[in-house]
Amino acid sequence: IERFKFIGIIEHFEEDFKYFTAHYLENQNFVLDALNVNPQKQKSYGRELSFFKKLKEHHKLDYELYEYALKLREKRILNY
């Protein structure tokens, strides 16, 4: 993961996309077309906690990577 210059987080897609285009494509006015968007999308989907715990255990390495990427994002924002 240290080889990547940038990792975007889907929960922060628009903000991370703006950062990426400004810093790596040198285009701060890039327009993002929202295609295939569910107009009835929920803000948050409820999580049954015992299932979520099992899912998180099963995908432990993926969650470690995700949490590491979140830390990199936080560090990037603090330095921006």
Side-chain angles (χ1 to χ4, degrees), residues 46-72:
R47 295 181 177 159
E48 199 274 302
L49 293 180
S50 64
F51 173 74
F52 186 67
K53 183 179 177 182
K54 290 177 188 175
L55 183 70
K56 202 169 179 178
E57 284 176 23
H58 183 75
H59 295 282
K60 184 179 180 187
L61 295 177
D62 292 326
Y63 272 94
E64 288 175 7
L65 177 64
Y66 170 71
E67 289 169 358
Y68 183 74
L70 283 175
K71 288 178 185 175
L72 291 177

Side-chain angles (χ1 to χ4, degrees), residues 15 19 70-80:
E15 187 178 313
Y19 178 90
L70 283 175
K71 288 178 185 175
L72 291 177
R73 181 181 189 275
E74 184 177 327
K75 183 178 178 181
R76 181 184 78 226
I77 289 171
L78 292 175
N79 293 325
Y80 182 56

